[in-house]
């Protein structure tokens, strides 16, 4: 067993031969004007990946299907140092295979090591409100690579995505696990505008847009906006939530 495979075991995911990117480029992101950061994530056909302005913490979220609040410990730069990453597999790869390859990238280039814990935490259930949904099925074919997201402080748009994508975005904003219980199984287009809580700070991030900062267009809370604009609501509950505890990480080695 070689050094890289041992690192995968340490990171919590044993990666077999052929489950790594054939080539990957990692470079520090160039800053934009006025302290803004442009963030983009593209999962291209065949398993190719193109990311801009991503952090190691956001890579962990992509690779392991967790949200920011489920990642604890580790150095502060995990959520602040930003990178531009391009990578491609040796042949065609499925989305699940790409996740494993990102896990390998984290273990190899960021020397990531962690362990898992489960804690009983407050969660939300995402359900359909009285009157039914107020959004429409997307014209993007289900299972395609054309899902897009544009987000800024106080608003976001998701196109061609399942309900799980909306639940994930809400969880990221609210720093609490959101479980989809709508029983809606299609691909949809979502647009939500709300007044962000003061604790939801940080730089504006734009994905797939033109790089301009969106305005804060609504004076209502995210809970009210969700019901009025999408016909959905969040119900508070409690349940087990998986936590990743970071034991070790190093700034990415460049090409």
């Amino acid at each position: 067993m070689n050094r890289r495979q041992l690192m995968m075991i340490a990171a919590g995911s044993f990666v077999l031969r052929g489950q790594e990117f054939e080539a990957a480029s990692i470079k520090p992101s160039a800053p934009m004007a006025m302290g803004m950061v442009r963030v983009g994530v593209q999962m291209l056909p065949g398993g190719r990946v193109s990311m801009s302005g991503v952090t190691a913490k956001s890579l962990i979220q992509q690779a392991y299907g967790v949200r920011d609040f489920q990642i604890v410990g580790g150095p502060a730069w995990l959520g602040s140092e930003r990178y531009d990453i391009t990578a491609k597999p040796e042949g065609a790869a499925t989305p699940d295979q790409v996740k494993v390859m990102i896990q390998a990238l984290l273990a190899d280039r960021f020397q990531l090591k962690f362990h898992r814990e489960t804690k009983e935490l407050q969660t939300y259930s995402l359900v359909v409100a009285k009157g039914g949904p107020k959004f429409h099925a997307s014209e993007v074919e289900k299972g395609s690579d054309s899902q897009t997201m544009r987000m800024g402080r106080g608003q976001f748009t998701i196109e061609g995505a399942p309900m799980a994508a909306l639940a994930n975005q809400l969880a990221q904003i609210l720093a609490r696990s959101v479980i989809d219980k709508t029983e809606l199984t299609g691909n949809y287009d979502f647009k939500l505008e709300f007044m962000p809580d003061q604790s939801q700070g940080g730089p504006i991030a734009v994905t797939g847009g033109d790089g301009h900062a969106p305005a804060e267009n609504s004076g209502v809370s995210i809970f009210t906006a969700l019901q009025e604009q999408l016909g959905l609501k969040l119900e508070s509950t409690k349940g087990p939530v998986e936590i990743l505890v970071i034991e070790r990480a190093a700034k990415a080695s460049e090409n």
Side-chain angles (χ1 to χ4, degrees), residues 41-45 47-51 62 98 102 145-147:
V41 177
Q42 290 182 299
M43 300 298 182
L44 302 169
R48 291 178 294 125
V49 173
S50 177
M51 303 180 181
Q62 288 274 341
V98 170
I102 297 175
D145 295 314
S146 299
Q147 176 180 317

Side-chain angles (χ1 to χ4, degrees), residues 51-71:
M51 303 180 181
S52 60
V54 297
T55 65
K57 184 173 281 189
S58 64
L59 279 180
I60 294 170
Q61 294 175 54
Q62 288 274 341
Y64 292 98
V66 296
R67 292 95 175 188
D68 181 89
F69 65 91
Q70 293 174 271
I71 303 170

Side-chain angles (χ1 to χ4, degrees), residues 99-150:
K99 285 185 178 180
V100 174
M101 292 177 185
I102 297 175
Q103 292 172 16
L105 189 73
L106 285 163
D108 182 26
R109 304 289 287 275
F110 289 89
Q111 300 179 40
L112 178 67
K113 182 179 179 181
F114 67 87
H115 69 270
R116 303 171 189 263
E117 295 180 1
T118 299
K119 295 184 178 181
E120 192 80 5
L121 299 175
Q122 292 292 329
T123 64
Y124 287 116
S125 293
L126 180 64
V127 300
V128 177
K130 185 177 180 180
K134 297 180 181 180
F135 50 88
H136 303 286
S138 176
E139 294 182 0
V140 177
E141 183 179 351
K142 186 175 181 180
S144 77
D145 295 314
S146 299
Q147 176 180 317
T148 61
M149 179 183 294
R150 293 179 295 276

Side-chain angles (χ1 to χ4, degrees), residues 53-82 119 121 151 167-178 199-203 241-246:
V54 297
T55 65
K57 184 173 281 189
S58 64
L59 279 180
I60 294 170
Q61 294 175 54
Q62 288 274 341
Y64 292 98
V66 296
R67 292 95 175 188
D68 181 89
F69 65 91
Q70 293 174 271
I71 303 170
V72 300
W77 61 261
L78 277 177
S80 60
E81 296 280 340
R82 295 185 178 273
K119 295 184 178 181
L121 299 175
M151 57 186 178
N168 286 339
Q169 181 62 23
L170 292 171
Q172 191 70 16
I173 294 169
L174 296 168
R176 186 185 292 189
S177 183
V178 176
S199 64
Q200 298 162 13
V241 177
E242 183 180 70
I243 303 295
L244 302 189
V245 182
I246 306 300

